[in-house]
Amino acid sequence: MRKDTLSKVVFLCLLTFCFACRAKKEVAPPVASVPSVVNSKTASIKAITENAFNFKTLSAKAKIDFKFNNQSNGASLNLRMRNKEVIWMSITAIAGIEVARVMITPDSIKVHNRLQGEYLAKPFNFISQYSSRAIDFNILQNLLVGNATQGAVTEASEIHVTGSETAVKTAINGLMYELVFNDIYKLTENKLRDSKDQQLTALYSNFQALNGRNLPYAVSMLSNAGNKNVRIDIKYSSVSVNEPVDFPFSVPKRFTVKD
């Protein structure tokens, strides 16, 4: 992979990744904690809420395939999170060389571009140049674990149950959500659209039991904004939850600070 191409991949991966995740440990049947048929709106909301994936910390390894305007590149991903506090990512080339490291908090985004020896530090709202201003840290973390955004499934939402699927439509802070849940009330499709018709679609599948809940082991993220079409496909080899994790992020002195 060429250096300039990989640099673009790393940065665009971060921006689009402001959306995705997947899981480990045992390959077990999905956990069905509620009946497969829900008749009322209140019961649907309760089932969806009870089946959300809750965690304190999460650590995952995955292979990712990144497509930007029909150009495809592969890499490995090491993902660590502390709920509501930190998202940390290390992106590694096929040769096993770390090419980028990213740390995101509710207030900031920091990026090491190790290929070019550059360091970028920006406030979290920096991503609003590339996505909706309504995207915040909590929305990002929920996207990464396949949960509905807080406030997206309420009595005010438009909810329809058809067979084994539950469809939800709602609007929050200028973002229109179209959500589809399966028969165990896990999110299989999350479509976000803003007033400028920028659209992000997250697709979740291959659910496995982890820590008594279900987590998607396959994720596809599709982003369309202007003439930029980005897709990230993720296949996780392992995921663990609620174990001690660290988030190493020291900046080498040789790195150039980028504006």
Side-chain angles (χ1 to χ4, degrees):
M1 188 184 297
R2 290 173 51 196
K3 179 184 290 189
D4 57 346
T5 299
L6 186 52
S7 298
K8 292 177 183 177
V9 166
V10 168
F11 189 64
L12 288 167
C13 184
L14 164 64
L15 297 176
T16 305
F17 218 126
C18 282
F19 329 107
C21 178
R22 175 138 173 256
K24 149 193 170 189
K25 289 256 177 180
E26 42 225 356
V27 177
V31 178
S33 61
V34 294
S36 60
V37 177
V38 175
N39 295 319
S40 71
K41 175 182 281 190
T42 300
S44 295
I45 294 169
K46 183 174 184 291
I48 290 168
T49 301
E50 289 180 347
N51 281 275
F53 186 80
N54 299 315
F55 69 97
K56 294 180 180 178
T57 64
L58 181 146
S59 179
K61 293 183 179 180
K63 296 295 184 182
I64 59 175
D65 185 62
F66 182 89
K67 295 182 178 68
F68 175 59
N69 288 347
N70 297 319
Q71 293 185 352
S72 180
N73 292 279
S76 296
L77 174 72
N78 187 345
L79 171 68
R80 302 175 188 176
M81 296 195 292
R82 181 176 290 121
N83 195 24
K84 298 182 180 180
E85 294 183 19
V86 183
I87 298 169
W88 180 97
M89 292 182 282
S90 173
I91 300 170
T92 305
I94 295 175
I97 301 171
E98 185 182 44
V99 296
R101 189 172 293 188
V102 180
M103 187 161 69
I104 306 171
T105 68
D107 299 322
S108 66
I109 296 175
K110 299 176 182 178
V111 182
H112 285 176
N113 181 337
R114 291 183 175 270
L115 282 183
Q116 297 181 339
E118 296 175 347
Y119 169 66
L120 176 73
K122 295 289 184 180
F124 185 90
N125 61 13
F126 172 71
I127 69 168
S128 66
Q129 299 179 41
Y130 306 90
S131 63
S132 171
R133 292 182 180 276
I135 298 294
D136 61 19
F137 183 86
N138 290 327
I139 290 175
L140 173 55
Q141 272 206 326
N142 282 317
L143 283 164
L144 287 168
V145 296
N147 285 339
T149 299
Q150 184 176 0
V153 185
T154 68
E155 292 287 347
S157 304
E158 182 181 332
I159 300 178
H160 297 284
V161 179
T162 305
S164 61
E165 287 190 346
T166 301
V168 179
K169 291 185 179 181
T170 194
I172 307 174
N173 297 328
L175 280 179
M176 176 61 68
Y177 289 83
E178 296 182 24
L179 312 173
V180 178
F181 298 86
N182 62 14
D183 58 346
I184 57 172
Y185 306 101
K186 294 303 299 182
L187 194 59
T188 59
E189 181 175 342
N190 187 353
K191 185 179 295 183
L192 290 77
R193 189 175 66 254
D194 65 13
S195 59
K196 298 179 181 179
D197 261 352
Q198 292 180 333
Q199 183 169 295
L200 170 73
T201 301
L203 304 174
Y204 305 95
S205 61
N206 191 18
F207 294 92
Q208 302 291 341
L210 180 68
N211 200 38
R213 295 294 176 94
N214 291 298
L215 198 65
Y217 274 63
V219 177
S220 293
M221 313 298 298
L222 301 88
S223 175
N224 299 300
N227 61 352
K228 295 183 177 64
N229 296 303
V230 181
R231 176 178 178 130
I232 299 176
D233 292 307
I234 308 165
K235 293 184 178 179
Y236 281 77
S237 58
S238 65
V239 173
S240 60
V241 295
N242 301 337
E243 297 179 358
V245 294
D246 58 0
F247 308 96
F249 201 86
S250 59
V251 181
K253 293 182 179 179
R254 62 181 176 82
F255 275 32
T256 302
V257 178
K258 291 286 289 184
D259 294 328

